[in-house]
Amino acid sequence: MADVELTVDADVCEANAVCVGIAPELFALDDEDALQILEVRPQHDMLERARQAVDSCPKRALRLRQSPP
């Protein structure tokens, strides 16, 4: 299975924290309410929750894509 990585478009993200609620192991808001990705390359056991977070983002600011080689 190819490695995947999480990315956020900071210009689009409104820090609604839906992703934080779904996968707090992967996402957090900093003191300025900017989204931080805690695990850029989620492990296999976290992939489903990462996908749920990406699919649930109200602004579609999150992406889960294949990591570059």
Side-chain angles (χ1 to χ4, degrees):
M1 180 171 169
D3 286 334
V4 294
E5 67 181 22
L6 284 165
T7 62
V8 61
D9 183 337
D11 294 329
V12 175
C13 179
E14 290 184 342
N16 292 306
V18 173
C19 56
V20 177
I22 292 170
E25 303 87 354
L26 299 175
F27 305 98
L29 293 180
D30 67 16
D31 292 338
E32 296 177 8
D33 284 338
L35 183 67
Q36 302 298 310
I37 297 177
L38 304 176
E39 292 287 335
V40 173
R41 291 189 170 121
Q43 298 299 310
H44 179 72
D45 61 335
M46 291 301 299
L47 282 178
E48 182 57 34
R49 291 181 60 195
R51 285 187 186 101
Q52 288 175 352
V54 169
D55 291 344
S56 298
C57 179
K59 298 304 287 182
R60 300 292 182 235
L62 295 173
R63 297 279 182 263
L64 189 61
R65 63 183 184 158
Q66 187 171 358
S67 299

